[in-house]
Amino acid sequence: MDSDLAPEEMAEAPQAPKGLKVLIWPVVIALIVGMALGALVPRVLHRAAPLSAAQASAYAGAVNLTLNELPPGWISVPANAAPISGYIGSGSSSALTPQEKVQNSAVIARFQACIGLSNATDRTFGAAGVQPIAQVPSSSFLATPSATAFEAGTATQYYTDSSNVSKDQAQMAIPGYAVCLDQAIGRMSMIGAVPNPAAAIIPAHGVTIAQSHGAFIRSAQAQLTFPGNGAASSSKEWLGLTLIIEGHIEQSFYTFGPRQFPATETQQIVNQLAKKIQEGPSSSLA
């Protein structure tokens, strides 16, 4: 495992990730991932007919993060108005250049080495991954209208075959997986901003978040250093990633800010998200 734990540090105002252009992970929670300990299938999903793509998108969107799961004082902000939009996939994007594709491949190779899998067996970015039928980002949220406030959001994937989610979850259960993934996503956000993102040193550590409402949970925090523009000094930001796996759903809960997002607040938010996923949306899909 190539991760390191660093002490919490205060940092300057968040800078939007400069290189996060393509956030398409085969099994990554809302961008990624996996497991083999069968996940509990939500009651609403015990149905004979599979969901259509439109129904799956509506379902994924309905279980995403909203202001209801956040503490008082948070607000919703437009896509592209905050760096978090780049991580959850709601921000604008452009195709990677040939050089950036090489950098992206190098980042993926480092991630696979970090979890000890080959490209052929990796279900996150590798050949073993399966695409979801739907992947939907939440709105972007800001703790207060301040340049140094925390940001948060989710990206949710729906898979027609829950056995693929179980296989993804098996990979997520690899020790250090969440740390390796958080670092990889951080390095991807540096593509176009630093010469060699794959070599970037990113202190990171796992965060203990208890399982909730039958969901499989893994969480990590990683400290990213973005170069300054012109005379501006570099900024250090903390990227939090929590994976929530349940039934047909793989969800990624992201936080972004000048310091580590409190684990107690992460637990409270995850409890509500996992409950919403387990119960399913109160709609015609039920």
Side-chain angles (χ1 to χ4, degrees), residues 36-63:
L37 312 172
L40 196 65
V41 179
R43 293 188 301 275
V44 297
L45 295 178
H46 288 295
R47 56 177 66 252
L51 298 183
S52 66
Q55 288 175 320
S57 292
Y59 184 96
V63 298

Side-chain angles (χ1 to χ4, degrees), residues 18 35 49 57 62 82-83 93 106 144 152 161-162 166 191 198 204 209 215 227 236 238 243 249 263:
K18 300 177 177 62
M35 164 169 185
S57 292
S93 63
T144 59
D161 188 346
S162 61
S166 294
I191 292 175
I209 301 297
K236 295 183 182 296
W238 284 91
L243 308 175
I249 294 292

Side-chain angles (χ1 to χ4, degrees), residues 126-191:
V130 176
Q131 293 288 346
I133 188 175
Q135 177 170 299
V136 183
S138 72
S139 297
S140 297
F141 300 99
L142 189 67
T144 59
S146 163
T148 58
F150 281 119
E151 301 171 24
T154 56
T156 303
Q157 296 176 330
Y158 180 92
Y159 290 80
T160 299
D161 188 346
S162 61
S163 68
N164 282 318
V165 177
S166 294
K167 293 174 183 177
D168 290 346
Q169 187 177 324
Q171 179 165 314
M172 294 182 217
I174 294 173
Y177 175 88
V179 171
C180 295
L181 179 59
D182 203 7
Q183 290 174 315
I185 294 172
R187 291 184 175 109
M188 287 177 176
S189 72
M190 295 177 180
I191 292 175

Side-chain angles (χ1 to χ4, degrees), residues 253-271:
F253 168 53
Y254 290 93
T255 59
F256 189 79
R259 56 193 181 279
Q260 296 183 55
F261 195 75
T264 53
E265 290 190 28
T266 297
Q267 183 72 68
Q268 292 167 1
I269 293 168
V270 167
N271 288 345

Side-chain angles (χ1 to χ4, degrees), residues 62-113:
V63 298
N64 260 324
L65 180 70
T66 68
L67 287 172
N68 292 334
E69 290 80 50
L70 293 166
W74 285 72
I75 61 173
S76 176
V77 295
N80 293 322
I84 199 70
S85 67
Y87 293 104
I88 64 176
S90 63
S92 60
S93 63
S94 58
L96 295 176
T97 66
Q99 180 182 6
E100 289 171 342
K101 287 180 180 179
V102 171
Q103 293 177 335
N104 191 64
S105 294
V107 170
I108 290 173
R110 181 162 184 179
F111 164 77
Q112 291 166 344

